[in-house]
Amino acid sequence: MSGFEVAGVVLGSIPLLISALEHYSNGVSTIKSMKKYEPVFEYIHATFVTNLTIYRNSLEELLSPLALSDLHLYRLLEEKDEAAWEEPDLVSCLKQRLEHSYLPFKSSLKQLNKKVILFGRKLQLDEGFRPPWVSPDGSIDTKQRENFFKNPINRIRGGFNSEKYQQALASVEADINRISKLTSTTIALEPIRLHRKRNTETQYWATFQEYVERLYQSFFARWSTQCSCGCLHEANLRLELRDRKTEQAITFKFLFSLESNTNTPRQPWIWRTVEIEPSGDLAPSQASKTKSIPRVVIQAPSEVQSAWKPCVSTAPAIRDLCKALESSQPQASCIGMLHEVAFKHHIHSLKSPHPQVRNLNRTTLQDILDANAGRGFDIKEKHVPPTRHHPLTLASAVLQLHDTPWLRESWTMQDVFFLNHDQIPLLCNQPYVSKSFTPLADPLPPSPHPNKSKQSIIIKSPIIFALGVALLQLSHAKPINAFATPDDLDAQGNRTFWTDYMIADRLADGLLVRELPNFANATRRCIHCNFEGTVYSLNDEGFRERFYQGVVVPLQQDYDYAQAPLGPE
């Protein structure tokens, strides 16, 4: 019997025990020789009533924030329904809420259950906690009751065991007080724990931004300022779903490609798929923004993880990245280590068949959108691959890549694409973003945005607004321009800096009838940048937390729903 099954048993047993004590008090009062023990039973009865109230209040306080239906809560607290306490979702929620107090709470419940049952045995109650003179229908056999208390053995037990009853009562009372203190302490600490948990999560996501920024600078230093091969280098970063709860380490997967031109004597390699483990100290500026960020230990996936550990200390230093990629094998192996100041990147090749295939097909999300021609992506349907993960993937990309060269502030569906080839199924259905590195190029300057000052009046965060637009387009399978009306344009029928916002605002209002509430509400928050604050930058820890809770978490819940096994028909 689990701890929470016991909760239902105890909650049902104590009222029955209280009822039995009432019968004992009434019975004792009818026998002159037993009347002196009447106050003892009245005291025990009153104490049990008080303890039941404390115990019930503790359970109600524990259950109330779990968003249970009124019917479910009634079954748990009023009907004493043991089955109601066994539901897996409820047990999981209680484990999550109690955290470290779960096992002590469970143990205290079991001890309390044993003591209540033992108390009933001392009073010679049956399994239904009824005295011998009370029938299952509640009727009382007064003659049997009189004979029970006139029995010399029972009179002796009732007299000499009164102190033992009070000792047993004190033990029950101690268990209930311990349960009450465990729940009240846990509830008092809950806001602090929640803030600490969310703070850790947002700090965890902040490391991604620093890592991908470092990776870009490392590639730029080698391919745009130092590399002598004269080719155009392209780094395609795979967008992946990250799960902080798994405690798994992080890697970044890239597909590197190389394009020669007429002035290039030879092309050292064509393309390589690699996995990179970044590690090292965060930059002082980033560390100050995110307070104390724990170092993220990065691991490769299970198929190559065993190869990563022994080669970390022996990985060769990479001086020329192009030569290192040229000499790498088309299988899982260590390529080497890129060293920076207080930072390093451990690079492994991924197993990739047919590395000499030259032409990889590139399909953008916009291409997929156009191909669907308004048929919709069935986002709210279960088990509809591969589009069910696109909303969450895009939201995660914004969280990880904001304010870095990998994702423009006003990005579009053209910036996210898929690489595939008939002979390389490994690449199918894996979204990427890309950066090109031209030999002897200057660092990419920030591109000026027309009417940015005017747009900032209504669009507080362009990168989050772009996410909201992308979610709308995934839902409708059409570009938002297709929904433009004359009211969205100026007098000459031209677009203005208000046009996209006006269309998006109108479409977002109608999402609740098209999509699941989580998706619809997350999209509306992105369009209106409604995150209950006055700061609208993902570099701000508080805003990043609110974006994570208001957009990423709801989309994750929808994704989990879509992934859950279908029930029996």
Side-chain angles (χ1 to χ4, degrees):
M1 182 179 293
S2 71
F4 292 109
E5 292 173 41
V6 171
V9 173
V10 176
L11 194 59
S13 300
I14 294 180
L16 295 175
L17 183 56
I18 291 172
S19 177
L21 287 168
E22 290 178 353
H23 287 298
Y24 261 86
S25 295
N26 295 332
V28 167
S29 64
T30 63
I31 308 298
K32 290 183 179 181
S33 60
M34 296 289 291
K35 279 190 176 183
K36 61 180 178 179
Y37 299 110
E38 187 175 358
V40 174
F41 285 99
E42 288 179 350
Y43 171 77
I44 294 174
H45 173 268
T47 305
F48 261 111
V49 170
T50 303
N51 285 329
L52 173 62
T53 302
I54 294 172
Y55 179 67
R56 188 188 183 284
N57 288 347
S58 298
L59 294 181
E60 187 172 359
E61 192 175 22
L62 183 65
L63 295 168
S64 58
L66 300 184
L68 302 173
S69 67
D70 291 340
L71 177 60
H72 194 179
L73 199 62
Y74 183 85
R75 288 173 59 203
L76 294 171
L77 298 176
E78 302 296 340
E79 292 187 350
K80 293 82 182 180
D81 185 353
E82 296 175 27
W85 288 87
E86 300 175 22
E87 296 183 8
D89 288 344
L90 173 64
V91 174
S92 176
C93 288
L94 290 172
K95 284 182 179 180
Q96 184 176 356
R97 184 154 198 234
L98 287 167
E99 293 189 358
H100 302 300
S101 300
Y102 171 74
L103 290 179
F105 184 86
K106 180 178 178 180
S107 176
S108 296
L109 285 176
K110 286 186 175 181
Q111 292 300 318
L112 175 60
N113 186 57
K114 289 179 181 179
K115 290 173 183 177
V116 168
I117 293 173
L118 181 61
F119 203 102
R121 289 175 181 171
K122 287 181 179 293
L123 294 175
Q124 300 183 53
L125 306 179
D126 62 14
E127 292 183 358
F129 282 81
R130 289 183 296 269
W133 61 89
V134 179
S135 63
D137 62 4
S139 59
I140 298 174
D141 187 335
T142 55
K143 186 174 182 180
Q144 186 178 359
R145 181 180 64 184
E146 184 177 347
N147 291 336
F148 177 88
F149 284 107
K150 284 184 177 180
N151 186 309
I153 296 178
N154 291 335
R155 292 212 315 270
I156 293 172
R157 281 177 179 168
F160 288 103
N161 287 347
S162 59
E163 290 187 5
K164 292 183 179 180
Y165 293 152
Q166 294 188 43
Q167 291 174 359
L169 174 62
S171 182
V172 169
E173 188 173 12
D175 281 345
I176 289 177
N177 287 334
R178 183 163 57 251
I179 290 169
S180 177
K181 185 174 291 187
L182 273 174
T183 54
S184 62
T185 303
T186 298
I187 291 166
L189 288 173
E190 193 170 32
I192 300 174
R193 289 174 174 171
L194 180 60
H195 176 74
R196 185 168 62 242
K197 178 182 177 183
R198 289 182 173 179
N199 189 47
T200 301
E201 288 174 344
T202 55
Q203 290 175 3
Y204 168 83
W205 293 113
T207 60
F208 285 94
Q209 182 194 23
E210 176 72 4
Y211 282 155
V212 294
E213 177 71 32
R214 295 273 193 162
L215 283 170
Y216 175 84
Q217 296 298 336
S218 182
F219 298 155
F220 180 85
R222 285 163 175 79
W223 284 338
S224 291
T225 62
Q226 297 178 2
C227 189
S228 59
C229 75
C231 298
L232 174 67
H233 304 78
E234 190 171 62
N236 302 294
L237 170 61
R238 188 191 303 179
L239 303 180
E240 297 185 90
L241 299 179
R242 311 282 185 177
D243 187 358
R244 179 69 179 91
K245 298 177 182 179
T246 62
E247 299 297 332
Q248 290 181 354
I250 306 159
T251 57
F252 295 93
K253 298 179 181 65
F254 284 89
L255 186 144
F256 294 146
S257 62
L258 199 64
E259 292 185 11
S260 60
N261 53 49
T262 56
N263 298 322
T264 304
R266 76 178 187 92
Q267 188 174 357
W269 49 277
I270 299 173
W271 58 268
R272 293 287 186 273
T273 53
V274 302
E275 189 165 18
I276 300 179
E277 169 194 3
S279 62
D281 297 329
L282 291 173
S285 60
Q286 183 71 11
S288 64
K289 285 191 294 185
T290 57
K291 299 180 181 179
S292 176
I293 299 180
R295 179 182 180 274
V296 180
V297 181
I298 312 298
Q299 296 176 346
S302 57
E303 63 267 20
V304 297
Q305 182 176 349
S306 59
W308 283 58
K309 292 182 179 179
C311 71
V312 169
S313 58
T314 59
I318 299 176
R319 300 186 182 278
D320 188 322
L321 182 53
C322 272
K323 288 184 178 179
L325 292 171
E326 181 182 14
S327 60
S328 66
Q329 300 298 318
Q331 57 189 8
S333 62
C334 177
I335 296 176
M337 194 82 70
L338 291 176
H339 287 276
E340 309 291 347
V341 177
F343 215 77
K344 61 185 178 180
H345 312 287
H346 187 196
I347 304 180
H348 262 251
S349 64
L350 289 178
K351 187 176 182 181
S352 303
H354 308 288
Q356 299 307 312
V357 171
R358 291 185 175 271
N359 298 318
L360 294 175
N361 301 320
R362 177 176 294 204
T363 304
T364 69
L365 267 180
Q366 186 64 51
D367 295 332
I368 298 176
L369 199 71
D370 296 339
N372 273 266
R375 290 193 299 272
F377 282 81
D378 296 320
I379 294 172
K380 67 180 179 181
E381 299 298 327
K382 292 172 70 69
H383 301 274
V384 184
T387 57
R388 62 175 178 265
H389 61 75
H390 289 345
L392 179 59
T393 302
L394 296 178
S396 298
V398 168
L399 191 63
Q400 298 170 45
L401 307 180
H402 69 91
D403 202 21
T404 72
W406 297 100
L407 194 64
R408 296 184 301 122
E409 190 177 51
S410 296
W411 61 278
T412 69
M413 303 279 267
Q414 293 280 10
D415 294 300
V416 181
F417 59 89
F418 301 87
L419 293 168
N420 56 74
H421 191 281
D422 294 341
Q423 301 179 50
I424 313 175
L426 171 71
L427 305 178
C428 293
N429 299 326
Q430 296 173 349
Y432 288 84
V433 292
S434 178
K435 290 304 297 183
S436 297
F437 299 87
T438 305
L440 305 179
D442 294 326
L444 186 66
S447 57
H449 193 284
N451 297 321
K452 186 172 182 179
S453 59
K454 293 182 179 179
Q455 279 196 338
S456 63
I457 299 174
I458 53 173
I459 299 177
K460 305 299 183 183
S461 174
I463 195 169
I464 294 177
F465 178 77
L467 172 62
V469 170
L471 297 179
L472 287 172
Q473 294 180 137
L474 284 175
S475 175
H476 290 276
K478 287 183 181 180
I480 64 169
N481 292 339
F483 297 92
T485 67
D487 291 337
D488 302 321
L489 309 174
D490 64 15
Q492 289 74 40
N494 299 318
R495 293 170 52 81
T496 71
F497 65 88
W498 294 89
T499 299
D500 285 347
Y501 180 82
M502 294 174 68
I503 299 172
D505 177 56
R506 187 170 61 253
L507 294 179
D509 286 341
L511 268 189
L512 281 173
V513 299
R514 291 180 55 86
E515 304 293 352
L516 296 172
N518 278 341
F519 180 90
N521 291 329
T523 304
R524 287 176 55 85
R525 292 187 188 102
C526 291
I527 296 301
H528 301 296
C529 206
N530 183 14
F531 296 98
E532 299 179 353
T534 57
V535 178
Y536 306 103
S537 170
L538 285 167
N539 287 324
D540 179 78
E541 183 177 306
F543 182 81
R544 188 167 61 247
E545 175 185 328
R546 292 190 292 274
F547 173 80
Y548 175 72
Q549 295 296 330
V551 176
V552 179
V553 169
L555 294 179
Q556 177 73 57
Q557 291 171 347
D558 280 0
Y559 176 76
D560 293 341
Y561 162 77
Q563 292 290 92
L566 293 172
E569 296 183 358

